[in-house]
PDB file of all heavy atoms in Angstrom:
ATOM      1  N   GLY A 253      14.890 -70.475 243.054  1.00 98.00           N
ATOM      2  CA  GLY A 253      14.574 -69.295 243.850  1.00 98.00           C
ATOM      3  C   GLY A 253      14.586 -69.626 245.328  1.00 98.00           C
ATOM      4  O   GLY A 253      14.926 -70.748 245.736  1.00 98.00           O
ATOM      5  N   TRP A 254      14.180 -68.631 246.137  1.00 98.00           N
ATOM      6  CA  TRP A 254      14.314 -68.787 247.593  1.00 98.00           C
ATOM      7  C   TRP A 254      13.431 -69.896 248.158  1.00 98.00           C
ATOM      8  O   TRP A 254      13.808 -70.561 249.132  1.00 98.00           O
ATOM      9  CB  TRP A 254      14.046 -67.460 248.301  1.00 98.00           C
ATOM     10  CG  TRP A 254      12.649 -66.917 248.155  1.00 98.00           C
ATOM     11  CD1 TRP A 254      12.213 -66.039 247.218  1.00 98.00           C
ATOM     12  CD2 TRP A 254      11.518 -67.218 248.987  1.00 98.00           C
ATOM     13  NE1 TRP A 254      10.882 -65.774 247.389  1.00 98.00           N
ATOM     14  CE2 TRP A 254      10.425 -66.479 248.483  1.00 98.00           C
ATOM     15  CE3 TRP A 254      11.313 -68.030 250.097  1.00 98.00           C
ATOM     16  CZ2 TRP A 254       9.150 -66.537 249.053  1.00 98.00           C
ATOM     17  CZ3 TRP A 254      10.050 -68.089 250.674  1.00 98.00           C
ATOM     18  CH2 TRP A 254       8.986 -67.348 250.153  1.00 98.00           C
ATOM     19  N   GLU A 255      12.273 -70.121 247.521  1.00 98.00           N
ATOM     20  CA  GLU A 255      11.394 -71.174 248.051  1.00 98.00           C
ATOM     21  C   GLU A 255      12.096 -72.528 247.987  1.00 98.00           C
ATOM     22  O   GLU A 255      12.018 -73.340 248.927  1.00 98.00           O
ATOM     23  CB  GLU A 255      10.071 -71.246 247.266  1.00 98.00           C
ATOM     24  CG  GLU A 255       9.198 -70.001 247.364  1.00 98.00           C
ATOM     25  CD  GLU A 255       9.434 -69.026 246.209  1.00 98.00           C
ATOM     26  OE1 GLU A 255      10.556 -69.023 245.644  1.00 98.00           O
ATOM     27  OE2 GLU A 255       8.507 -68.267 245.883  1.00 98.00           O
ATOM     28  N   ASP A 256      12.775 -72.760 246.867  1.00 98.00           N
ATOM     29  CA  ASP A 256      13.514 -74.024 246.721  1.00 98.00           C
ATOM     30  C   ASP A 256      14.644 -74.112 247.743  1.00 98.00           C
ATOM     31  O   ASP A 256      14.898 -75.168 248.332  1.00 98.00           O
ATOM     32  CB  ASP A 256      14.100 -74.137 245.309  1.00 98.00           C
ATOM     33  CG  ASP A 256      13.036 -74.148 244.229  1.00 98.00           C
ATOM     34  OD1 ASP A 256      11.944 -74.699 244.477  1.00 98.00           O
ATOM     35  OD2 ASP A 256      13.296 -73.596 243.139  1.00 98.00           O
ATOM     36  N   ALA A 257      15.333 -72.987 247.924  1.00 98.00           N
ATOM     37  CA  ALA A 257      16.450 -72.976 248.879  1.00 98.00           C
ATOM     38  C   ALA A 257      15.947 -73.282 250.289  1.00 98.00           C
ATOM     39  O   ALA A 257      16.560 -74.070 251.025  1.00 98.00           O
ATOM     40  CB  ALA A 257      17.157 -71.623 248.844  1.00 98.00           C
ATOM     41  N   VAL A 258      14.814 -72.688 250.662  1.00 98.00           N
ATOM     42  CA  VAL A 258      14.240 -72.954 251.998  1.00 98.00           C
ATOM     43  C   VAL A 258      13.945 -74.444 252.137  1.00 98.00           C
ATOM     44  O   VAL A 258      14.247 -75.074 253.167  1.00 98.00           O
ATOM     45  CB  VAL A 258      12.946 -72.133 252.224  1.00 98.00           C
ATOM     46  CG1 VAL A 258      12.224 -72.605 253.488  1.00 98.00           C
ATOM     47  CG2 VAL A 258      13.251 -70.640 252.314  1.00 98.00           C
ATOM     48  N   GLU A 259      13.375 -75.023 251.093  1.00 98.00           N
ATOM     49  CA  GLU A 259      13.029 -76.449 251.139  1.00 98.00           C
ATOM     50  C   GLU A 259      14.279 -77.306 251.406  1.00 98.00           C
ATOM     51  O   GLU A 259      14.251 -78.236 252.211  1.00 98.00           O
ATOM     52  CB  GLU A 259      12.373 -76.829 249.803  1.00 98.00           C
ATOM     53  CG  GLU A 259      11.281 -77.864 249.941  1.00 98.00           C
ATOM     54  CD  GLU A 259      10.584 -78.133 248.606  1.00 98.00           C
ATOM     55  OE1 GLU A 259      10.581 -77.271 247.707  1.00 98.00           O
ATOM     56  OE2 GLU A 259      10.053 -79.244 248.465  1.00 98.00           O
ATOM     57  N   TYR A 260      15.362 -76.973 250.701  1.00 98.00           N
ATOM     58  CA  TYR A 260      16.618 -77.716 250.904  1.00 98.00           C
ATOM     59  C   TYR A 260      17.136 -77.551 252.335  1.00 98.00           C
ATOM     60  O   TYR A 260      17.602 -78.507 252.952  1.00 98.00           O
ATOM     61  CB  TYR A 260      17.690 -77.254 249.913  1.00 98.00           C
ATOM     62  CG  TYR A 260      17.695 -78.017 248.609  1.00 98.00           C
ATOM     63  CD1 TYR A 260      17.009 -77.552 247.496  1.00 98.00           C
ATOM     64  CD2 TYR A 260      18.412 -79.210 248.475  1.00 98.00           C
ATOM     65  CE1 TYR A 260      17.028 -78.246 246.292  1.00 98.00           C
ATOM     66  CE2 TYR A 260      18.440 -79.911 247.278  1.00 98.00           C
ATOM     67  CZ  TYR A 260      17.739 -79.417 246.192  1.00 98.00           C
ATOM     68  OH  TYR A 260      17.764 -80.115 245.010  1.00 98.00           O
ATOM     69  N   LEU A 261      17.069 -76.325 252.851  1.00 98.00           N
ATOM     70  CA  LEU A 261      17.564 -76.104 254.220  1.00 98.00           C
ATOM     71  C   LEU A 261      16.721 -76.905 255.210  1.00 98.00           C
ATOM     72  O   LEU A 261      17.247 -77.567 256.117  1.00 98.00           O
ATOM     73  CB  LEU A 261      17.543 -74.617 254.575  1.00 98.00           C
ATOM     74  CG  LEU A 261      18.461 -73.682 253.773  1.00 98.00           C
ATOM     75  CD1 LEU A 261      18.372 -72.260 254.296  1.00 98.00           C
ATOM     76  CD2 LEU A 261      19.909 -74.133 253.801  1.00 98.00           C
ATOM     77  N   LEU A 262      15.405 -76.857 255.025  1.00 98.00           N
ATOM     78  CA  LEU A 262      14.521 -77.627 255.915  1.00 98.00           C
ATOM     79  C   LEU A 262      14.863 -79.119 255.855  1.00 98.00           C
ATOM     80  O   LEU A 262      14.830 -79.827 256.865  1.00 98.00           O
ATOM     81  CB  LEU A 262      13.053 -77.417 255.518  1.00 98.00           C
ATOM     82  CG  LEU A 262      12.456 -76.044 255.834  1.00 98.00           C
ATOM     83  CD1 LEU A 262      11.120 -75.860 255.122  1.00 98.00           C
ATOM     84  CD2 LEU A 262      12.279 -75.861 257.341  1.00 98.00           C
ATOM     85  N   ALA A 263      15.206 -79.589 254.649  1.00 98.00           N
ATOM     86  CA  ALA A 263      15.515 -81.021 254.477  1.00 98.00           C
ATOM     87  C   ALA A 263      16.849 -81.409 255.091  1.00 98.00           C
ATOM     88  O   ALA A 263      17.148 -82.590 255.242  1.00 98.00           O
ATOM     89  CB  ALA A 263      15.509 -81.371 252.991  1.00 98.00           C
ATOM     90  N   GLY A 264      17.687 -80.405 255.413  1.00 98.00           N
ATOM     91  CA  GLY A 264      18.958 -80.737 256.071  1.00 98.00           C
ATOM     92  C   GLY A 264      20.197 -80.183 255.396  1.00 98.00           C
ATOM     93  O   GLY A 264      21.311 -80.392 255.886  1.00 98.00           O
ATOM     94  N   ALA A 265      20.043 -79.487 254.270  1.00 98.00           N
ATOM     95  CA  ALA A 265      21.212 -78.887 253.610  1.00 98.00           C
ATOM     96  C   ALA A 265      21.628 -77.623 254.363  1.00 98.00           C
ATOM     97  O   ALA A 265      20.782 -76.838 254.785  1.00 98.00           O
ATOM     98  CB  ALA A 265      20.882 -78.544 252.162  1.00 98.00           C
TER      99      ALA A 265
END
Side-chain angles (χ1 to χ4, degrees):
W254 64 267
E255 296 94 333
D256 298 326
V258 169
E259 215 176 335
Y260 270 95
L261 296 183
L262 288 167

